[in-house]
Amino acid sequence: FEFFRMNQDAKAALKGALERKQQIAELREATGEEDEHTLRLLVHTGIDADSVQLIHLAPLIEVAWADHEMQPKEAKLVLEIATLRGIKEGTKAHELLLRWLEHKPKDPVFDACHHVANSMLEHLPAAQREKTLKSIDECVHAVAEAAGGLFGVFGKVSDEEKALIDELATIYHHKLAKKSG
C-alpha cells in the first residue's frame, strides 16, 4: 500500500510540474517575456495567460498598499479600473485581484509584474505605448488620491505613495526611454 501511495504522489507531482510548464509556455506566448525565473514566479503567484491583464494593475495595487494598508476607497477604485480593463467577476483573474486587495503581494511579485509590463510595453508602437503609460500614470495617481490623506484633511497623497509613484515613473518611463532612445 505504501508503494502505491508513493507512486500516486509521484504521479501527482509530475502532473503538477507538467501543468506549470504548460502555464509558463502560455504566459511566455501571451507576454513575449523570455525570462524563465520571472515567468515561474508569476505562475507561482497565480498569474497565467488568462489573468495576464493583472500585470498592468500591479502598480495600482502597489501604490494602494504603499502606506501598509488598503483603504476601502482604494480597493473600490482598483476594482472599477479592473472591470474597465475586462476583468470579470468570477474569473481566476478577479479572484487573484481580490486576494491582492486583501493581502499585499510580496515585493518580488511586483518586481516581476513591472519587468513583464515593461517587456510588453516595449513591443507596442510608440503612440500606443505612450497612451498606455499615460493611462497607468493617471490610474496610479487616482488610486493614491482615493483615500484622501490623513482623515481626508492633510493632503491627498501620503509620502510613501509619492515616493512609490516616483519610483514607478522611473521603472516604466526611464527603462522604456532607454530602449527607444
Side-chain angles (χ1 to χ4, degrees), residues 33-121:
E33 179 59 47
E34 291 297 327
D35 183 65
E36 189 75 17
H37 174 75
T38 300
L39 293 168
R40 258 191 261 120
L41 176 62
L42 291 175
V43 166
H44 177 74
T45 302
I47 294 177
D48 60 14
D50 295 328
S51 56
V52 74
Q53 65 268 49
L54 287 177
I55 290 171
H56 294 292
L57 293 176
L60 285 63
I61 294 162
E62 190 172 12
V63 166
W65 279 109
D67 59 359
H68 309 289
E69 187 177 348
M70 176 67 65
Q71 301 293 330
K73 289 180 182 179
E74 292 169 326
K76 182 177 186 253
L77 183 56
V78 170
L79 285 169
E80 289 172 3
I81 293 168
T83 300
L84 291 172
R85 293 193 176 182
I87 296 176
K88 295 180 173 64
E89 279 189 54
T91 63
K92 183 178 177 180
H94 190 263
E95 296 299 319
L96 182 56
L97 176 59
L98 291 176
R99 282 198 306 271
W100 285 3
L101 295 174
E102 291 176 22
H103 305 284
K104 180 184 178 192
K106 302 217 181 294
D107 288 342
V109 173
F110 289 125
D111 294 342
C113 287
H114 300 322
H115 178 80
V116 173
N118 269 314
S119 293
M120 293 169 72
L121 287 166

Side-chain angles (χ1 to χ4, degrees), residues 1-13:
F1 182 73
E2 187 65 28
F3 174 76
F4 177 74
R5 196 177 110 213
M6 287 177 15
N7 195 19
Q8 291 297 99
D9 290 346
K11 283 183 182 179

Side-chain angles (χ1 to χ4, degrees), residues 157-173:
V157 180
S158 73
D159 290 340
E160 295 95 341
E161 290 167 331
K162 285 178 188 173
L164 183 56
I165 289 169
D166 289 345
E167 183 181 329
L168 289 170
T170 299
I171 289 170
Y172 284 86
H173 295 281

